[in-house]
Each structure stands twice: as C-alpha cells, then as structure tokens.
Amino acid sequence: MKKILLLVVGLLFIQSAVYAQLLSEKAQISLLTSSPYEGEVFTLYGHAALRLKDEPRNMDLVFNYGIFSFEKPNFIYRFAKGETDYMLGVMKYSDYIVEYQLRGSTVTEQILNLSPVEKERIWGALLKNYEPKNREYRYNFFFDNCATRPAQLIENNLSGKVDYCWKPEPLTFRDVINHCTRNHAWLTFGCDLALGSPTDRIMTPHEMLFLPEYLKEAVASAIIISDDGSTRPLVRQTNVLEAEPEEAPTEWCTPLLCAIVLWLVVGILTVWESKRHIHLWGLDCVLFLIAGLSGCVLFFLGFISEHPCTWPNWTMVWLHPLQLLVLPFSIVKKARIAGYYYHFINFAAIMLMLVSWYFLPQHFNTAFIPLILTLWIRSASVIFAGYFRKREEIEKRK
C-alpha cells in the first residue's frame, strides 16, 4: 500500500512539476520535528521533515529524507559497511502525522517566514530532489541525514543567509548519542565500542543540527539576513501537536552488571586453578575467541566501512583480531611458549591502557573496565604459570 501511495504521489509530482511556479500566495513551508520514540533503534534520535501546504492548490505534503528499506539486497552488510542509501519520500501530511501520533511522538511544526520567491525556490529544489536520479543519497548519521538535508535545502534557497543566533552548550558527538540512548544500556555500550576518538571532539553549533531536536532549537532562534542587510525571523509561527510518549523500557541486565559477574567468575576460577596447579586453557579459548571476533568487527568498522568517527579507536588496544592467536597457543602444546610471550605483551598493553585511562582522548564505557580486567587476569595467569613452571624445572635440575 505504501509503495502504491508513493507511486501515485510520484505521478502527481511529475504532473505538478510543470506548474512548479504556480504556488499560491497562501502556500507555506514548515519544518516538522518529531520527538524520539523508544520502540526502535532508528527512532531514538527523533526525526525531521519538510511540509508544503497550499490549500488553494489542494496540496498538503511531507517531504521525508529518512526513507529506507530493509528489503534491499545485502542490507545488513551494506549497513555495517556504511553504504546505506536513504531516499526522499513523499506522503500526505495526514498519513505522516497519524504515524507519529500512534508512536507517541510530539510533532513540532515551525512555519518558515519565507518570501514568495524563496518558497518557489524551495519547492523547485524539492521537486529536483525527488527526481528518480536524485532521490537516493548515501546516508551519513552525523553529516548527511534526515535533519541536515532540510537544513541545507533551506539555507541554500534563501535570499540571504541564515544566522542561527544559537549558543548551545559545548557537546561531543558521543555526548549527544549517549543521551539519546540513555534508556538502552546495551545500545550505548555498542556505540561506545564501535565509535572511536573522533566522536569525542566538540561539535560546532552547525554540526549539532544533525540531531532533529537541536535543529528545532536552532531554527527557533534563527534570523535571515537579507542581501540588503535587513533581518527577519526564520520562523513565523510554531505549532505543537502533543502526544503521550511511550515509557522507556526498564533494563536490569545491563552490560556493567554482566561484565562484573563475568570478571568475578573468571577471577574465582583463576584463583581455583592456581591452587590446584592447573590451567584452564578452554576458558582462555572462549574468552579470547570472543575478544578476537569483537576485534575483527572493530577492525572492519575502522578500516573497511565508510562509517564516520570509527577510527582511531583506542578500544582496539584490548579488542583486536590478534586475540584470536590465543586459540592455537592454548590448544597446541608446542605453541604455548609463543603464547607465553603473547600474553606478556597483552598483559603489558592492557596495564598501560588502564594506567592511562583518563589521559586517552576517548570516552570508554564503564562496563569496559571489568571486561578489560578479565582478559588482564587471564594473561597474568599464563605469565605466572609459566614463571612457576620454569622455576620448578630449574629446581629439579639442581
């Protein structure tokens, strides 16, 4: 049904393109921003779109730059690689608003204070963007998304320039992301794993417009400085359509809790094996297999994917593909000498990271600490086991 609607609207647009310069005097263009919805990962950050309302022409349409399809070939791989293509979709305002009302999202409409010429320019730019060859674009979460596109389109089609007159609190990209995912501990944990130190630089006020909420705040205080030096507010009128938000889910099984439990269990097993003068090589295989595979994911994101801000990532000091070497070092007895030296290097690297934790130019999730200590304990156990084994051999030779 949605595809049929888009097709019908598309045909209407092809027909109306001929009359693109015939917007009535009552036509108005608005910025729509929707509050976050806790039900889906991609709705936690809110949404932005443009509305064109022209009652004499019987048009009330929403231009939405946030359309994507899970049904596209290799969607998951392309998403992981950062090659997700979004597209400009068009739908009736009534359908758009019902969808967000059902979610429980409050929709704020900011009617822009535009001249007839500026309205025509924006209308023409929207039609140009909706042409089949221009409809799709390579999505970038921070720099090219559903909020940055409307902002750029407005800025590029005004008779003058926009001064947002907005002085937000200095924030990093990670500050904003972690605030949006604050009710989803595992998602925050995953973002902190995947995103590197570039995420921790302070954003410029204009870069903050990637988040719909900040776009709304910036537009509310913005003025248009015309070529002749005169000024006028960017927003003529604001309408708010309130909705009852959905309560955020309660999470008790958090990454920090799971990490602490793992650390305690591994610590107890390590003490137990040392008292019995044995070594649980299978435990090392499981732990370092997980660490190595996680490191492969971080390596892929940092060096192969097109995602922004994933490299450099200091998390790779303890989560990297080389951790997979522990498997052959543990399974093959003749390779355990090489494993001893590997664990010594790993132990030293992790120790150095822990010592310089607060000096590294990157935020780390609190749950990382017990996980890092878990690997550190296992490397230490191999080192000390090897040391005592050599000591026993020397004593036997005497």
Side-chain angles (χ1 to χ4, degrees):
M1 184 64 186
K2 196 170 184 178
K3 292 181 179 179
I4 295 174
L5 176 61
L6 289 175
L7 178 62
V8 171
V9 174
L11 292 173
L12 290 174
F13 265 77
I14 294 173
Q15 181 182 4
S16 63
V18 180
Y19 305 101
Q21 302 300 317
L22 298 179
L23 290 177
S24 74
E25 294 182 0
K26 293 185 177 181
Q28 59 186 35
I29 296 175
S30 310
L31 175 67
L32 302 177
T33 51
S34 307
S35 62
Y37 167 60
E38 300 288 343
E40 301 287 349
V41 170
F42 55 86
T43 60
L44 293 175
Y45 309 95
H47 189 58
L50 287 172
R51 178 189 184 187
L52 172 69
K53 182 181 180 181
D54 192 347
E55 290 182 350
R57 298 291 182 265
N58 197 29
M59 287 193 299
D60 196 354
L61 302 170
V62 174
F63 293 79
N64 183 357
Y65 285 94
I67 301 295
F68 66 94
S69 174
F70 289 110
E71 298 177 359
K72 278 202 168 186
N74 305 314
F75 177 84
I76 295 177
Y77 172 76
R78 290 174 62 83
F79 178 81
K81 197 178 177 184
E83 295 180 349
T84 307
D85 289 329
Y86 275 46
M87 63 183 291
L88 171 62
V90 184
M91 61 193 308
K92 293 180 179 179
Y93 172 75
S94 57
D95 294 336
Y96 179 88
I97 208 69
V98 165
E99 180 180 343
Y100 282 87
Q101 287 287 288
L102 290 175
R103 287 182 181 182
S105 294
T106 294
V107 179
T108 301
E109 179 186 24
Q110 293 168 300
I111 302 174
L112 303 180
N113 186 22
L114 304 175
S115 68
V117 173
E118 291 168 336
K119 294 175 187 177
E120 297 290 355
R121 287 178 183 172
I122 293 176
W123 168 233
L126 289 170
L127 289 174
K128 185 74 174 176
N129 282 184
Y130 193 67
E131 291 178 3
K133 62 180 180 180
N134 302 325
R135 197 172 300 171
E136 288 192 349
Y137 70 98
R138 182 56 51 85
Y139 174 81
N140 184 303
F141 180 75
F142 291 130
F143 306 113
D144 197 354
N145 64 12
C146 70
T148 61
R149 286 253 160 175
Q152 185 179 39
L153 188 139
I154 293 169
E155 293 169 2
N156 291 344
N157 291 282
L158 296 177
S159 301
K161 64 178 182 178
V162 178
D163 184 350
Y164 288 103
C165 304
W166 184 55
K167 296 181 180 179
E169 175 189 356
L171 294 171
T172 66
F173 289 101
R174 198 184 304 271
D175 290 334
V176 173
I177 292 172
N178 287 356
H179 175 74
C180 293
T181 62
R182 62 192 180 281
N183 297 317
H184 303 265
W186 285 101
L187 181 57
T188 302
F189 176 80
C191 291
D192 284 340
L193 273 178
L195 296 173
S197 57
T199 319
D200 294 292
R201 74 169 175 83
I202 300 295
M203 295 181 288
T204 65
H206 197 271
E207 286 175 332
M208 294 177 72
L209 302 187
F210 86 92
L211 194 73
E213 182 66 24
Y214 291 145
L215 175 62
K216 180 182 70 175
E217 292 180 12
V219 167
S221 61
I223 59 173
I224 302 172
I225 303 176
S226 301
D227 296 333
D228 60 3
S230 62
T231 63
R232 56 194 158 103
L234 177 58
V235 175
R236 177 168 58 84
Q237 181 180 332
T238 300
N239 304 317
V240 180
L241 192 58
E242 296 281 355
E244 190 66 30
E246 181 177 295
E247 291 187 9
T250 301
E251 295 183 343
W252 63 269
C253 185
T254 64
L256 180 59
L257 176 61
C258 293
I260 291 174
V261 170
L262 177 64
W263 172 54
L264 291 175
V265 170
V266 171
I268 292 171
L269 289 174
T270 303
V271 172
W272 177 82
E273 69 176 6
S274 65
K275 289 183 177 181
R276 290 181 173 266
H277 302 287
I278 61 174
H279 191 84
L280 301 174
W281 298 105
L283 179 61
D284 290 345
C285 287
V286 172
L287 291 175
F288 284 90
L289 172 63
I290 296 172
L293 292 176
S294 300
C296 289
V297 173
L298 296 186
F299 182 88
F300 177 86
L301 291 174
F303 293 98
I304 299 176
S305 81
E306 298 181 14
H307 285 293
C309 304
T310 56
W311 180 258
N313 188 346
W314 287 90
T315 303
M316 290 189 69
V317 172
W318 62 283
L319 283 184
H320 51 80
L322 292 179
Q323 299 287 32
L324 292 174
L325 293 174
V326 172
L327 273 73
F329 291 157
S330 300
I331 296 172
V332 182
K333 289 186 178 181
K334 292 183 179 180
R336 288 179 181 173
I337 295 176
Y340 173 84
Y341 292 107
Y342 176 84
H343 280 290
F344 184 84
I345 295 172
N346 190 57
F347 176 87
I350 290 177
M351 175 64 79
L352 184 62
M353 181 178 183
L354 290 172
V355 171
S356 57
W357 183 273
Y358 289 103
F359 302 100
L360 293 174
Q362 182 173 329
H363 165 83
F364 299 103
N365 195 289
T366 309
F368 291 180
I369 297 177
L371 294 177
I372 293 172
L373 289 175
T374 299
L375 297 181
W376 182 73
I377 288 172
R378 293 313 297 170
S379 287
S381 70
V382 173
I383 294 170
F384 284 108
Y387 169 77
F388 287 118
R389 188 165 50 252
K390 287 183 179 180
R391 188 173 168 182
E392 289 176 359
E393 290 176 357
I394 292 173
E395 290 180 356
K396 285 180 181 180
R397 290 174 185 174
K398 291 180 179 180

